[in-house]
Amino acid sequence: MKTPLEAPEKQVTEETSAKSTGPQRESVIDTSKMSKGQREALELAEASRDPLDERGSFASNLFIGRYDFDRIFPYPGQSEEDRAEGEPFLKELRDYLEKNVDADEIDRTGEIPQKNIDDLFAMGAFGVKIPVQYGGLGLSQVNYGRAAMFLGSWDANLTALVSAHQSIGVPQPLLLFGTEEQKARYLPRVARKEISAFALTEWNAGSDPANMHLEAKPTEDGNAYILNGEKLWCTNLIKAGVLVVMAKTPPRIVKGKERKQISAFIVDVDSPGLEITYRCHFMGLRALYNGIVKFSDVRVPKENLIAKEGQGLKVALTTLNTGRLTIPAACVGLSKRMLEICRKWASERVQWGVPIGKHYAIAGKIAEMAGNVFAMEAMTFLTSALVDRKAGDLRIETAMCKMWATEATWRIADEAMQVRGGRGYETAQSLEGRGEEAIPVERYLRDCRINMIFEGSSEIMRLFIAREALDPHLKVGGAIFNTQLPMAERAKALFQSGKFYATWYPKQWTLGTAGNLENLHRDLRTHVRYAANTSKKVARGLFHAMARFGPKLDREQLLLSRFVGIATELFAISATCSFAQYKIDQGEPADEILSVANYFCRSAKMRIGQHFAGVRENTDRAGYDLTQQLLAGKHADLRKGIV
Ligand SMILES: Cc1cc2nc3c(=O)[nH]c(=O)nc-3n(C[C@H](O)[C@H](O)[C@H](O)COP(=O)(O)OP(=O)(O)OC[C@H]3O[C@@H](n4cnc5c(N)ncnc54)[C@H](O)[C@@H]3O)c2cc1C
């Protein structure tokens, strides 16, 4: 029987096999008034974007005032069967980390012992999701997430090694887009013996891959490509046997104009002409095997092209749509660890006559941590379970999980340092040297900061979510403002959008419905009803912003980020309530579950209130103008008095 969690057949087929590699679509966004660089970046991103399916997802529908709680409730908890399949590996991994991995030593030396890497390969930790037929463990996304949680709670360097390898390295893109031959050739290698890496970034191409210079030139006989150029910050590179490399291939002509093409290749590290020229070092993740790789006439056979020529960015974006869930799962692990440290310290450390946890200032921080840990787990594992159930297009959910969890974890690390006071700032080795417990809060803080930068920075995540949020409106009304389109087409769009908004808009002023909430605890019902109503308020707000700014809305990044912030909190509230009921139904103490879930939902509502207040009144324009003055060299006074 079909459940509301399941997507239509056609979509399931699309999600489970190689993505459609049909012709690139034209953007619905008017790029005619943009700078060349902006236009190229946007056109490339748009051409690489798969359209959202009509049904949307729970999170994407929040932006159009549709609150489909039945798509995430009852909470899709892990089945006994799936749990049993993952248990032997997860138990082995957990025990192994505890007994054999010295995270502080790895941090101090900047090296992961080869034995640790070999042992993890032997237990299958580098091929968790790779099907058994290719030598992997063939486990689910939820089990992979649970492994990431263990890793994240113990050692960030190993987490990065394992995650860069299988969430963005060779396994994930090959599982999604690889030919049978590519899978048979490479998956057994990366499942059991060779580390892989993902090389996209270059000096001038960070968030903006359109600036990419590394070139892949087809040979005259058409049998291969010749790669020339350099890649920066490639994680795992120093240990890798094989890379996924994004390169520029010859441009296509679209409507008389040249359009950049990016393609994805599998490249063996021992290919002649490939040279690792530098190992990079960072504030945290001190044992990251990250570096620069140079390609001088590196020949890559055409069989190593992933998907079709020109679809590299689509490969990268689609890979990340699911790959992005590993970081939030690791964040859940790390945040739980920090919460443990803080609650112990806050009950032991006595200052001003009482344990510091009895002071409101410290208690507030710890409650906030607990609420965020609960919500983070709810969102991440809800989305992971939906991935396993192939419940449609989850790009918004995964982006929200990544953005929200990495930011919450950073705040938790910051507050954990404050709760630990001076000891938070002291290294584990120094604490141990003078006889105290080696608690590495400063390492956690250093290690987790990067999560808001790589695999899509927080700013890029907000833009990505906002783009998808505006999609239904752009489809209906985007053409009206697109000066690149013929007048007749724009007039037609005006007529059609008028018809659409005449029915859609008044509905956004009615009360939101969340469906049948009989099986939800009454406390949680209140939060879910609030989320259903607030979803309509976001939809109205977004519509008003569109009416006000028209085609210039995409420039209003701060305004859009508030809507993204509200919808993300609504997703977090909804996931939290569903998760809380699941836990209560599983026999966990209802009073404890409700106190943490209620706390989180109230706290999220306060943040939502702040976002709405910011929509009404803000300093966005003044701030933008001030920054332009600063960038133009004005305000010399602000430079005075420093060395
Ligand atoms: C430790 C580490 C590991 C990494 N591992 C890999 C890897 O394995 N493979 C790989 O390919 N890359 C990797 N990277 C690169 C990483 O993905 C990039 O750092 C990231 O994409 C951001 O690019 P950038 O640093 O060039 O910043 P930039 O793109 O220059 O951005 C600078 C700032 O501007 C913001 N910004 C940029 N564009 C916009 C915009 N349009 N609107 C609003 N804000 C914007 C960004 O969010 C950021 O805050 C790694 C980086 C580090 C530091």
Side-chain angles (χ1 to χ4, degrees), residues 539-560:
R540 297 200 296 266
L542 206 53
F543 176 77
H544 296 155
M546 278 194 56
R548 182 169 165 211
F549 293 102
K552 294 192 184 123
L553 180 59
D554 74 302
R555 280 190 230 157
E556 297 294 322
Q557 293 187 343
L558 294 177
L559 183 68
L560 285 173

Side-chain angles (χ1 to χ4, degrees), residues 164 168 197-208 231-237 244 246 280 282 284-285 288 290 450 452-461 463 557:
I168 56 174
F198 173 80
L200 169 67
T201 304
E202 299 178 11
W203 269 256
N204 293 319
S207 307
D208 176 10
K231 289 287 179 188
L232 177 68
W233 292 331
C234 178
T235 294
N236 288 359
L237 173 71
V244 173
M246 298 292 154
C280 306
F282 303 97
L285 297 184
L288 200 67
N290 178 295
I450 186 62
M452 295 186 289
I453 298 174
F454 61 16
E455 292 192 22
S457 67
S458 283
E459 290 76 15
I460 297 300
M461 288 296 87
L463 291 185
Q557 293 187 343

Side-chain angles (χ1 to χ4, degrees), residues 303-358:
E303 293 74 32
N304 285 20
L305 178 69
I306 308 178
K308 288 185 187 159
E309 202 179 283
Q311 296 202 314
L313 209 55
K314 188 179 224 167
V315 170
L317 292 178
T318 315
T319 296
L320 278 168
N321 280 345
T322 320
R324 247 181 216 128
L325 276 176
T326 322
I327 291 181
C331 283
V332 178
L334 175 59
S335 298
K336 283 191 171 185
R337 161 89 51 233
M338 294 190 286
L339 176 61
E340 274 309 291
I341 291 168
C342 289
R343 61 165 153 178
K344 183 162 178 279
W345 185 245
S347 60
E348 283 170 2
R349 175 72 172 167
V350 176
Q351 291 289 283
W352 297 61
V354 287
I356 56 169
K358 298 269 182 201

